[in-house]
Amino acid sequence: MSGHFEPLPDGGAAVALDDVEISIIRSLAVQLMELLGPGPAEDAPDDPLAGLFTEGPSEPPTDPVLRRLFPDAYGDPEEPDSLKDTEEQRAHSAEFRRFTENDLRAGKRDNALAVIRSLDALTAAGEGGAVLKLSAGESRQWLGALNDLRLAIGSRLEIDDEDDTDLLFRLPDEDPRKPMVMAYLWLGGLQETLVETLMP
């Protein structure tokens, strides 16, 4: 089981993680939460309908990681398509962002928090490690968080397509990006095996 998820009878998944792996995933999830920013204020009204009328930002984020996590719905205005009206694209994207980004952020924040909580709740399974067992719902949250973590690291590494990934395999060990590359590839393996466990 070490290094990859395996299915559980209840539809969940399990993976053996050592202390270093637990620390890395937890640290990355905490950093992701910090990047996403705080959730709704504690003194927000209890009226559930009030949330329906809360508007989010209409401009894309300036941080490249957040731009990758919350892309424009109608194309990137920085790369205009000659067949489309860039001003119209920008207006549609702003409108879409205004009504969806807060919920998307909340979902990503919830997924990262679920990862942190499940790692914090682990009981040691032996010398220097533990077996993480997730329910089907927790597995889906982990899948979303792993995807977001890979997007974040990929953005920092400026990975745009598979060709970029191939180049990263050939980085010399002394390259300062090497630890991030290793984390990116390792998280990709975890994500792939988790997807396989969730497939019918």
Side-chain angles (χ1 to χ4, degrees):
M1 182 187 307
S2 180
H4 63 275
F5 280 95
E6 291 184 359
L8 292 175
D10 65 354
V15 64
L17 298 170
D18 65 31
D19 290 341
V20 173
E21 293 169 333
I22 291 167
S23 176
I24 290 170
I25 296 172
R26 190 183 188 290
S27 174
L28 291 171
V30 167
Q31 290 175 53
L32 179 62
M33 285 195 64
E34 290 171 354
L35 185 63
L36 291 170
E42 292 296 321
D43 57 354
D46 290 333
D47 179 6
L49 293 177
L52 295 175
F53 302 103
T54 303
E55 293 183 7
S58 59
E59 293 298 318
T62 55
D63 185 292
V65 172
L66 291 176
R67 280 186 73 92
R68 177 78 65 91
L69 292 174
F70 304 105
D72 277 325
Y74 295 93
D76 187 349
E78 302 299 318
E79 298 175 18
D81 183 337
S82 59
L83 301 176
K84 294 182 179 175
D85 178 3
T86 306
E87 286 303 315
E88 187 177 342
Q89 264 183 285
R90 193 171 283 128
H92 289 313
S93 288
E95 191 73 1
F96 185 82
R97 185 178 297 280
R98 231 167 25 104
F99 294 109
T100 60
E101 188 169 313
N102 284 346
D103 286 341
L104 291 173
R105 274 185 192 260
K108 291 178 185 300
R109 199 178 294 109
D110 288 347
N111 290 343
L113 187 57
V115 167
I116 294 166
R117 286 182 175 156
S118 59
L119 292 175
D120 287 349
L122 276 179
T123 355
E127 189 92 11
V131 175
L132 175 69
K133 292 183 179 179
L134 303 172
S135 68
E138 290 168 331
S139 296
R140 287 188 292 277
Q141 286 186 296
W142 263 74
L143 190 58
L146 288 172
N147 186 60
D148 289 341
L149 291 174
R150 289 194 75 237
L151 286 172
I153 294 171
S155 180
R156 291 288 187 238
L157 291 170
E158 299 179 351
I159 296 172
D160 290 325
D161 56 37
E162 283 305 311
D163 292 339
D164 295 336
T165 308
D166 292 341
L167 293 174
L168 294 176
F169 274 113
R170 296 190 290 274
L171 283 179
D173 289 342
E174 59 274 10
D175 192 298
R177 297 172 295 170
K178 190 75 171 194
M180 282 179 66
V181 170
M182 298 307 293
Y184 178 81
L185 297 172
W186 172 60
L187 291 173
L190 280 178
Q191 182 182 15
E192 185 176 336
T193 61
L194 184 52
V195 166
E196 289 168 2
T197 69
L198 296 175
M199 292 176 76

